[in-house]
C-alpha cells in the first residue's frame, strides 16, 4: 500500500512508501437512500451508506462521467489557435493599449462597502492602469492554494518581499514592479479578494481563481496555523489562541487529527470530534482557534462572487500551463507574458510527521471534505480558459486520491448555509 506525504511548496509532490495500514476497497459512501434510512444514519457524519462498488468501470469512464455532475451545460473551449470565445475580428490586447494611472484614481468597493475602512496595503498595487471594465480581472486568492506567489507576480504585496518581510526588499520590489509594468495579465488584474477583504467589483469582466487539490490544501492550512516557538515569541496572543486547537484536543499532526478526530473509533473526546468536523467543513463557532483557511473555503469564495461571473482558473499543480492558457485567451505576445516571482509564504517543514497522511486517513479526509470537493469541481468546470483535456487531467488526479467524491453527485452532509459568513466578511 502507498502512503502519501504532501509537500507544501508551490508545486505539490507525492512520495510513495510502504504503509502498515491495509484496507479493502471501500464501498461507495454516496448511494442515495430513503428518508427512513437517512434518519437512521445521523449518529455520525462518517457512517458509510449504501453498498455499491466501482466494479469494473474504466478510469476513463469514471472521469468522463464526472463532467456532467456539476455543470453539464459547460463545454470547456479547445485551446488550439484562437480561443473560440474570442471574436475573430478583434485585435489582440496589448500593454500599450492601457494608460498608467495614479493609485488615487483606483476605486475600492471594499472601502465603499465598509464605512471608514482602509484597504490593506497588500491588496493595493504600486503600478495601476486604466482597464475597461469588461476586461478587468479580480484575483480570488484562495488561501493555501499557492496564491501568494501568483499574487506577488500580479503586483499585489501579500507575503511578498516588498511588504517588509525578509531580505532583498529593494531588489524584490523592483522585480515586481518590472513584472507589473510589462505583463498583460498583471495589468488586467486590478483588484483582489482574499479572506475578509472582498475588493472585487461585481461588474468586473472576469474572476481569476487559484485552486489546489482540496486534500493538499487542507493539510497545508492545518500546518500553516500550527504555532511554533517563533510565533509564541513574536505573536503570543495569536499563538496561544491557536494552540488550543492543536493541544487541547489530540491533534498535534494532521494524521492525528484525522485518526483521533474524524475517524468513528478515534480516541478524541466527543467535543473534539465535533470541533474537528465543524472546523474542517467551515461551519464552526471556533474559527479563531481552528485553521482559518478551513473556514474560508471554496464554497465561501465561489458563493461570494456574482453567480454569472466569468471565471479563469489557475491550478496550483499546473500553474504555468494555466497562466499561459489565460494569456492565450487574450492573445498575449511573448514580451508581455507573466514571470512568476518568489513568495516568502511558501510552506516548508523538516518534520515529516507534519506531511504524512496514511491511505486510511486520506479516505476519511475525502469523505469529510466531500462538499468542499464538489465546490472545487464547480470552479474547474466553470473555467473558461481550461480545455477538455486539462479538465480531464484534474478530474483524474482528483479521482486517484478521492475516487468516490470525484464522481459523487451529492454528499451525505448538507451543504451549509453561509449567508451569515458572507455578510460578516464580504459585507452583504
Amino acid at each position: 500500500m502507498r502512503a502519501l506525504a504532501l509537500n507544501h511548496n508551490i508545486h505539490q509532490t507525492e512520495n510513495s512508501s510502504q504503509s502498515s495500514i491495509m484496507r479493502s476497497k471501500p464501498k461507495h459512501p454516496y448511494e442515495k437512500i430513503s428518508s427512513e434510512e437517512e434518519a437512521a444514519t445521523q449518529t455520525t457524519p462518517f457512517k458509510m451508506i449504501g453498498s455499491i462498488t466501482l466494479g469494473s468501470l474504466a478510469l476513463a469512464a469514471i472521469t468522463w462521467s464526472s463532467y456532467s455532475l456539476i455543470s453539464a451545460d459547460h463545454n470547456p473551449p479547445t485551446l488550439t489557435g484562437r480561443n473560440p470565445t474570442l471574436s475573430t475580428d478583434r485585435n489582440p490586447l496589448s500593454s500599450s493599449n492601457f494608460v498608467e494611472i495614479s493609485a488615487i484614481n483606483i476605486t475600492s468597493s471594499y472601502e465603499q462597502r465598509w464605512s471608514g475602512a482602509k484597504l490593506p496595503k497588500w491588496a493595493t498595487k504600486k503600478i495601476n492602469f486604466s482597464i475597461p471594465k469588461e476586461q478587468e480581472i479580480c484575483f480570488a486568492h484562495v488561501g493555501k492554494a499557492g496564491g501568494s506567489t501568483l499574487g506577488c507576480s500580479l503586483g499585489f504585496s501579500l507575503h511578498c518581499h516588498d511588504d517588509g518581510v525578509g531580505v532583498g526588499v529593494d531588489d524584490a520590489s523592483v522585480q515586481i514592479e518590472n513584472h507589473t509594468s510589462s505583463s498583460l495579465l498583471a495589468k488586467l488584474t486590478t483588484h483582489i479578494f482574499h479572506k475578509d477583504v472582498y475588493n472585487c467589483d461585481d461588474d468586473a469582466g472576469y474572476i481569476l481563481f487559484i485552486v489546489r487539490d482540496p486534500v493538499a490544501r487542507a493539510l497545508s492550512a492545518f500546518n500553516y496555523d500550527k504555532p511554533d516557538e517563533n510565533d509564541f515569541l513574536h505573536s503570543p496572543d495569536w499563538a496561544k489562541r491557536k494552540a488550543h486547537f492543536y493541544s487541547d484536543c489530540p491533534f498535534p499532526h494532521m494524521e492525528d487529527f484525522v485518526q483521533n478526530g474524524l475517524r468513528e473509533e478515534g480516541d478524541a473526546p466527543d467535543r473534539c470530534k465535533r470541533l474537528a468536523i465543524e472546523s474542517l467543513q467551515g461551519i464552526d463557532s471556533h474559527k479563531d482557534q481552528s485553521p482559518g483557511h478551513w473556514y474560508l473555503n471554496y464554497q465561501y469564495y465561489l458563493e461570494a462572487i456574482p453567480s454569472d461571473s466569468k471565471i479563469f482558473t489557475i491550478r496550483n499543480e499546473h500553474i504555468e500551463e494555466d497562466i499561459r492558457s489565460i494569456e492565450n485567451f487574450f492573445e498575449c505576445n511573448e514580451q508581455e507574458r507573466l514571470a512568476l516571482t518568489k513568495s516568502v509564504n511558501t510552506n516548508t517543514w523538516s518534520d515529516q510527521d507534519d506531511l504524512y497522511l496514511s491511505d486510511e486517513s486520506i479516505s476519511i479526509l475525502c469523505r469529510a471534505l466531500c462538499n468542499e470537493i464538489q465546490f472545487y469541481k464547480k470552479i474547474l468546470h466553470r473555467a473558461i480558459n481550461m480545455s477538455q483535456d486539462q479538465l480531464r487531467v484534474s478530474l483524474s488526479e482528483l479521482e486517484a486520491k478521492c475516487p468516490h467524491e470525484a464522481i459523487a453527485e451529492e454528499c451525505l452532509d448538507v451543504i451549509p448555509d453561509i449567508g451569515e459568513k458572507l455578510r460578516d466578511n464580504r459585507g452583504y
Side-chain angles (χ1 to χ4, degrees):
M1 297 291 290
R2 59 177 176 80
L4 291 186
L6 303 181
N7 188 354
H8 296 266
N9 292 320
I10 182 66
H11 295 293
Q12 165 188 339
T13 61
E14 296 185 353
N15 301 319
S16 297
S17 62
Q18 293 297 319
S19 172
S20 61
I21 298 175
M22 302 297 294
R23 58 188 176 90
S24 59
K25 192 171 186 179
K27 297 178 180 179
H28 197 298
Y30 304 112
E31 183 181 16
K32 292 185 178 180
I33 56 174
S34 67
S35 57
E36 291 81 4
E37 291 171 313
E38 183 176 8
T41 64
Q42 298 305 309
T43 57
T44 170
F46 310 111
K47 199 161 186 178
M48 302 290 285
I49 299 177
S51 179
I52 64 172
T53 64
L54 294 179
S56 59
L57 288 176
L59 174 61
I62 294 174
T63 304
W64 276 108
S65 68
S66 66
Y67 293 161
S68 61
L69 302 180
I70 302 298
S71 181
D73 59 341
H74 173 64
N75 294 312
T78 302
L79 300 179
T80 56
R82 297 179 64 89
N83 189 296
T85 61
L86 293 175
S87 170
T88 56
D89 60 356
R90 62 164 283 175
N91 294 321
L93 292 181
S94 171
S95 293
S96 61
N97 295 337
F98 307 124
V99 178
E100 184 174 345
I101 60 175
S102 170
I104 63 175
N105 295 321
I106 301 295
T107 60
S108 169
S109 59
Y110 173 82
E111 292 180 352
Q112 294 172 350
R113 193 172 299 115
W114 299 101
S115 178
K118 183 69 175 176
L119 189 67
K121 179 180 179 294
W122 56 260
T124 65
K125 302 179 72 170
K126 289 185 176 180
I127 301 177
N128 301 275
F129 295 87
S130 177
I131 306 296
K133 185 62 66 175
E134 66 273 12
Q135 294 170 347
E136 183 180 286
I137 299 173
C138 185
F139 174 39
H141 176 175
V142 179
K144 309 320 301 171
S148 295
T149 292
L150 180 59
C152 293
S153 304
L154 294 172
F156 301 103
S157 58
L158 180 62
H159 304 305
C160 307
H161 282 289
D162 75 333
D163 65 0
V165 178
V167 296
V169 173
D170 292 337
D171 291 342
S173 179
V174 171
Q175 184 183 35
I176 291 173
E177 289 181 17
N178 288 339
H179 288 163
T180 304
S181 62
S182 62
S183 163
L184 176 61
L185 183 57
K187 287 185 176 183
L188 295 174
T189 308
T190 57
H191 296 76
I192 190 171
F193 166 30
H194 180 58
K195 299 180 70 173
D196 61 348
V197 177
Y198 181 78
N199 197 40
C200 294
D201 293 336
D202 284 346
D203 58 350
Y206 306 94
I207 305 294
L208 170 60
F209 273 85
I210 177 78
V211 299
R212 184 183 196 178
D213 155 36
V215 173
R217 178 181 176 272
L219 176 55
S220 181
F222 178 91
N223 287 326
Y224 182 72
D225 271 2
K226 184 165 63 173
D228 56 21
E229 292 181 2
N230 187 60
D231 294 319
F232 280 103
L233 180 63
H234 297 287
S235 305
D237 292 339
W238 177 89
K240 291 176 182 177
R241 187 171 66 250
K242 290 295 183 180
H244 288 296
F245 178 83
Y246 298 91
S247 58
D248 288 357
C249 291
F251 304 152
H253 303 288
M254 188 67 165
E255 176 73 8
D256 302 302
F257 168 82
V258 177
Q259 290 292 318
N260 295 328
L262 297 184
R263 191 168 60 97
E264 266 193 280
E265 301 81 8
D267 295 332
D270 288 343
R271 65 174 183 84
C272 288
K273 288 186 175 181
R274 287 194 299 270
L275 175 63
I277 186 59
E278 290 176 357
S279 298
L280 186 65
Q281 296 182 345
I283 55 176
D284 69 312
S285 58
H286 307 283
K287 59 182 181 293
D288 292 334
Q289 296 181 9
S290 59
H293 290 298
W294 286 356
Y295 183 68
L296 301 176
N297 53 16
Y298 285 129
Q299 180 188 6
Y300 167 72
Y301 283 93
L302 186 58
E303 292 192 3
I305 66 172
S307 59
D308 60 349
S309 296
K310 296 177 183 177
I311 291 178
F312 292 129
T313 298
I314 293 178
R315 300 161 295 170
N316 172 280
E317 300 83 1
H318 307 277
I319 187 167
E320 293 196 12
E321 175 187 352
D322 292 340
I323 288 173
R324 300 299 170 243
S325 73
I326 297 172
E327 291 174 331
N328 291 341
F329 182 96
F330 291 110
E331 300 181 328
C332 174
N333 62 53
E334 290 300 322
Q335 293 72 34
E336 297 176 327
R337 292 195 180 277
L338 185 73
L340 289 175
T341 62
K342 185 177 181 181
S343 163
V344 298
N345 197 41
T346 301
N347 295 351
T348 57
W349 283 271
S350 58
D351 186 353
Q352 291 303 302
D353 288 339
D354 285 335
L355 306 177
Y356 176 76
L357 279 176
S358 65
D359 279 355
E360 181 186 42
S361 291
I362 291 173
S363 293
I364 294 172
L365 198 54
C366 287
R367 292 200 296 273
L369 287 171
C370 183
N371 281 325
E372 177 77 339
I373 289 171
Q374 305 316 307
F375 281 99
Y376 168 74
K377 287 159 56 179
K378 285 184 181 182
I379 296 171
L380 292 179
H381 277 281
R382 288 183 58 181
I384 62 176
N385 62 298
M386 287 178 59
S387 69
Q388 293 178 358
D389 286 343
Q390 290 169 319
L391 179 59
R392 183 185 303 113
V393 166
S394 285
L395 291 173
S396 295
E397 291 170 345
L398 177 64
E399 192 273 339
K401 185 175 290 184
C402 300
H404 302 312
E405 293 73 21
I407 64 170
E409 295 187 40
E410 57 186 29
C411 304
L412 298 181
D413 297 310
V414 176
I415 297 175
D417 180 352
I418 64 168
E420 184 176 353
K421 183 191 299 188
L422 292 173
R423 288 188 294 271
D424 290 345
N425 292 279
R426 184 186 58 182
Y428 63 96

